Amino acid sequence: MTRIFSGIKPTGHLTLGNHLGAIRQWVEVDQHKADALFSVVDLHALTVDHDPARVRRLSRQTATLLLAAGLDPALCTLFVQSHVDEHTRLSYLLECTASDGEMRRMIQYKEKAAREQAAGGSVRLSLLTYPVLMAADILAYGADEVPVGEDQAQHVELTRDLAVRFNQRYGHTFTVPKAVLPTVAARVMDLQSPTAKMGKSHAETAGIVYLLDEPDVVRRKIMRAVTDSGSDVVHDRENRPGVTNLLEILAACTGGRPAELAEGYSSYGALKRDTADAVLEVLRPLQERHTALCGDPGYVDAVLREGAERARSLARPTVDAAYRAIGLLPAY
């Protein structure tokens, strides 16, 4: 069976973009077709300045929301990255395989480092090396496929390069994975800046619909969404990004086609109202399930504990083999 690995960082509250862009694919497709592992990659949240208590809180909330969205522990493995030591064990070996130049060419490093420096902060070494930890996340499990958005494709290419290089130098150890763009994902943009992705870590939140937003908050954000000059409703990402974003959100929530949906509207107001209704219908069962899970913390703890145990059993043989291959003495 094909093995899939994917992770999500607990760096902010999960958004509608996270759900329609990734989590729905995990729930509806990936956990059914493959041996799928999904991780709350909390170590990646430490690459920038952070509040320790907030990271812990968001890690638990993220895991709970993934269960509420429909990940089934009977079908997939859900765990927290830091609960499985093999991630950091393998990361150092891959740092010894990667080059400084490769790390500094990573687009996300350049962008994030520039933001940190512009804000007067220092750039942590882990921000430079975290793509290697991401490679370890993937290679430790022998993953064949990695469902990612376009912004993470470069990191999967690095993972492939490191796997091939390690295999050539030290003997075949790792499966060489491939990036797979989600088949049911929607590209959800910020409601106030429709040319920018709806992100969970943005400072400005007026254009971001969070999965746990109250219904009236969701409706208000959508009704205040930026549209475009003119009044006709057309699907045109380049020239009409605001209305196009609303159409694509509505399509993702209802199963329609954006261009066809556009033909049914003569005003932005009606489109916004229907989009708000559709989003609320998607969020309602998820929020109800989340509330129930918060009332049963022992269940969430058990899922994460059992998930970590299975993840550890899968990763350890591969990481132990990598230690032997690179020249380290086995522990006695």
Side-chain angles (χ1 to χ4, degrees):
M1 178 180 270
T2 298
R3 180 167 292 164
I4 287 174
F5 176 91
S6 198
I8 191 163
K9 288 189 292 186
T11 51
H13 300 287
L14 294 186
T15 71
L16 181 68
N18 296 130
H19 183 63
L20 298 180
I23 297 170
R24 184 175 59 168
Q25 164 91 15
W26 300 354
V27 169
E28 296 181 0
V29 179
D30 294 338
Q31 69 174 342
H32 298 283
K33 77 169 188 177
D35 180 10
L37 295 102
F38 302 110
S39 181
V40 179
V41 287
D42 53 345
L43 295 174
H44 290 292
L46 310 185
T47 60
V48 295
D49 190 35
H50 63 277
D51 173 17
R54 186 171 187 266
V55 171
R56 284 191 291 270
R57 186 170 62 252
L58 287 176
S59 295
R60 185 173 189 82
Q61 183 186 90
T62 299
T64 305
L65 280 169
L66 291 177
L67 291 170
L71 286 187
D72 184 348
L75 299 175
C76 67
T77 302
L78 175 63
F79 67 101
V80 176
Q81 179 192 31
S82 63
H83 294 176
V84 181
D85 293 344
E86 278 64 31
H87 291 255
T88 49
R89 288 182 63 208
L90 182 55
S91 182
Y92 182 72
L93 299 195
L94 296 179
E95 285 187 13
C96 296
T97 307
S99 71
D100 175 76
E102 284 177 311
M103 297 298 98
R104 296 188 186 278
R105 286 194 294 272
M106 293 289 108
I107 295 171
Q108 288 209 355
Y109 168 72
K110 293 179 181 179
E111 294 176 347
K112 291 181 179 180
R115 287 198 296 269
E116 286 290 314
Q117 291 169 338
S122 59
V123 179
R124 300 185 182 193
L125 179 61
S126 56
L127 186 62
L128 178 65
T129 60
Y130 95 88
V132 176
L133 177 57
M134 180 176 171
D137 298 338
I138 298 165
L139 297 179
Y141 298 101
D144 304 288
E145 297 180 359
V146 187
V148 292
E150 294 178 1
D151 59 335
Q152 291 291 330
Q154 186 184 34
H155 291 160
V156 181
E157 283 305 308
L158 173 69
T159 301
R160 290 171 54 85
D161 291 343
L162 294 179
V164 169
R165 188 179 307 155
F166 192 101
N167 289 346
Q168 290 175 341
R169 289 179 180 175
Y170 308 116
H172 184 79
T173 306
F174 299 121
T175 299
V176 180
K178 64 178 180 179
V180 179
L181 296 179
T183 57
V184 299
R187 186 182 182 190
V188 181
M189 314 304 280
D190 191 293
L191 295 171
Q192 292 297 314
S193 302
T195 58
K197 179 181 173 183
M198 185 181 284
K200 61 181 180 292
S201 304
H202 293 180
E204 296 296 328
T205 62
I208 302 171
V209 174
Y210 296 103
L211 297 186
L212 295 179
D213 274 346
E214 294 289 336
D216 60 332
V217 174
V218 173
R219 188 174 296 280
R220 183 167 62 250
K221 287 180 177 179
I222 293 174
M223 294 304 296
R224 294 178 179 177
V226 168
T227 47
D228 313 287
S229 58
S231 59
D232 54 326
V233 177
V234 294
H235 183 255
D236 183 345
R237 181 176 292 279
E238 182 175 349
N239 298 309
R240 309 291 292 277
V243 69
T244 293
N245 189 36
L246 291 170
L247 286 167
E248 293 190 352
I249 292 172
L250 177 61
C253 292
T254 62
R257 296 178 179 273
E260 295 176 0
L261 289 171
E263 296 174 359
Y265 293 96
S266 58
S267 70
Y268 292 156
L271 172 61
K272 289 180 176 180
R273 285 192 294 274
D274 285 356
T275 301
D277 288 343
V279 169
L280 289 171
E281 189 60 26
V282 167
L283 295 184
R284 179 183 52 77
L286 184 152
Q287 292 182 352
E288 290 175 354
R289 175 66 172 155
H290 177 265
T291 298
L293 288 169
C294 287
D296 188 7
Y299 172 76
V300 178
D301 289 342
V303 168
L304 295 179
R305 182 172 58 251
E306 292 168 10
E309 290 172 356
R310 180 169 189 268
R312 200 174 298 120
S313 70
L314 292 174
R316 184 165 293 168
T318 298
V319 177
D320 285 348
Y323 267 58
R324 291 192 299 271
I326 206 169
L328 300 176
L329 279 173
Y332 296 102

